[in-house]
Amino acid sequence: GGMRPEFLTCLAEIWNEEQMSKLEDFGMRYLNGGLPMWWYTMWITVTTVPLYKTPARNKVRPIGVLPCLERQILKLVTRFNKGTHVNYFEPQQVVFSEAGAAKLVHSMRMMMEENPTFVFVKCDIKNAFNSISRARILHVLEGEDSLRHLSWQAALSLAPEGALENKGKVWGQAKDGVIQGASPSGGYFALGWHPQLRHLDSVVSAAGGASKAGCDDLGVCGPPDVVFPALEDFWRDIQETCCLHLERSKTEVYTQSGVLPDGTPE
């Protein structure tokens, strides 16, 4: 770590074919578990950067940054497996979908326009990427035939406890969670809660509604007497299996009338 991504561009301009072949060999060894085990523990050390979340500067968001070479290798893995992820995630999860954010927003908006009595619930998760259970991610990967080929490489990155570093000194350990900004992280996070997301969608869909997520941004639309109980069950299950907690103070309920229906949770 410690070098900017331009470092890789410079290497690509000066290295010859033999040197690039060695880099490719190193990349494949890394992905297939061909390096010493201590290497994986060392290389998932992240440089931590505190960024302010609000203009008032009263809350800090911790950001972890991987070395640029590791990010590039993982980016290629994510790119080559994008189609497989899309087939598994759609229609409930649009993190890998083309124009996924637009699909999420406009599909829910149109459903609300067609059903004036529906509610739309926009959910917020407490410290989502840093909290997701790594064991849960690997469990889902190993249980899905189309994604099982990714489980070994994922285990190499997720099984060790990663060191948290700042200014050259280790100040803590990351026992759970995924790294924000790393290419596989969005997919890893979405995998962890996708079985529950599918079940939630089946419950609200039976009443004419739907649930969609863009990675950790979840929106649920449907009749309030169906949506609210389904979401309470969903979050109890998610807390137990994925170690994720709903941030109720930031979760919002929208209605066409502007009036919250009876039974709206606190």
Side-chain angles (χ1 to χ4, degrees):
M3 289 174 284
R4 296 179 179 273
E6 289 83 0
F7 167 69
L8 298 182
T9 304
C10 293
L11 290 183
E13 292 174 348
I14 64 174
W15 276 7
N16 58 36
E17 185 174 342
E18 180 183 358
Q19 290 170 312
M20 290 301 294
S21 177
K22 290 181 178 179
L23 177 61
E24 292 176 1
D25 179 64
F26 167 79
M28 291 304 298
R29 286 173 181 267
Y30 164 62
L31 294 174
N32 292 322
L35 300 175
M37 286 298 104
W38 60 261
W39 174 267
Y40 296 92
T41 302
M42 181 273 294
W43 216 25
I44 63 171
T45 298
V46 296
T47 299
T48 54
V49 181
L51 299 180
Y52 287 112
K53 294 184 66 174
T54 62
R57 296 192 171 192
N58 55 9
K59 195 170 185 180
V60 171
R61 177 193 296 274
I63 300 295
V65 183
L66 283 174
C68 56
L69 177 57
E70 184 175 8
R71 293 203 309 270
Q72 185 60 30
I73 294 174
L74 295 176
K75 183 178 180 180
L76 292 173
V77 175
T78 303
R79 182 187 302 169
F80 292 144
N81 288 277
K82 180 178 179 180
T84 304
H85 281 102
V86 170
N87 292 336
Y88 174 71
F89 283 131
E90 286 188 340
Q92 296 87 7
Q93 174 63 256
V94 295
V95 62
F96 284 106
S97 302
E98 198 73 30
K103 289 179 179 178
L104 191 158
V105 172
H106 293 302
S107 63
M108 292 298 185
R109 175 184 58 78
M110 294 168 69
M111 180 169 287
M112 288 290 289
E113 290 176 352
E114 290 292 319
N115 302 274
T117 61
F118 279 12
V119 296
F120 173 74
V121 183
K122 174 182 172 292
C123 299
D124 186 89
I125 308 172
K126 294 179 182 177
N127 205 15
F129 272 62
N130 293 331
S131 301
I132 184 74
S133 167
R134 295 178 181 178
R136 173 63 180 176
I137 294 169
L138 295 175
H139 177 76
V140 176
L141 266 177
E142 291 177 345
E144 177 59 35
D145 290 342
S146 63
L147 299 174
R148 192 173 293 130
H149 64 287
L150 297 170
S151 59
W152 174 242
Q153 191 279 315
L156 294 172
S157 299
L158 298 176
E161 294 183 7
L164 303 173
E165 172 269 334
N166 184 263
K167 296 181 179 180
K169 295 182 179 180
V170 174
W171 61 267
Q173 298 288 328
K175 298 181 180 182
D176 259 325
V178 294
I179 300 169
Q180 296 188 40
S183 292
S185 294
Y188 286 160
F189 181 92
L191 279 166
W193 71 343
H194 197 65
Q196 284 87 351
L197 184 59
R198 280 180 171 174
H199 177 71
L200 174 63
D201 184 58
S202 69
V203 173
V204 296
S205 293
S211 63
K212 285 187 183 297
C215 198
D216 61 326
D217 294 317
L218 173 62
V220 184
C221 181
D225 60 335
V226 174
V227 169
F228 293 146
L231 273 174
E232 293 292 345
D233 292 341
F234 173 79
W235 284 110
R236 275 196 297 269
D237 192 2
I238 287 296
Q239 181 174 332
E240 182 177 331
T241 58
C242 302
C243 301
L244 297 175
H245 297 263
L246 175 68
E247 182 67 87
R248 289 186 179 269
S249 64
K250 295 182 180 179
T251 296
E252 300 173 331
V253 180
Y254 295 87
T255 66
Q256 284 211 47
S257 65
V259 178
L260 293 178
D262 293 336
T264 301
E266 292 293 328

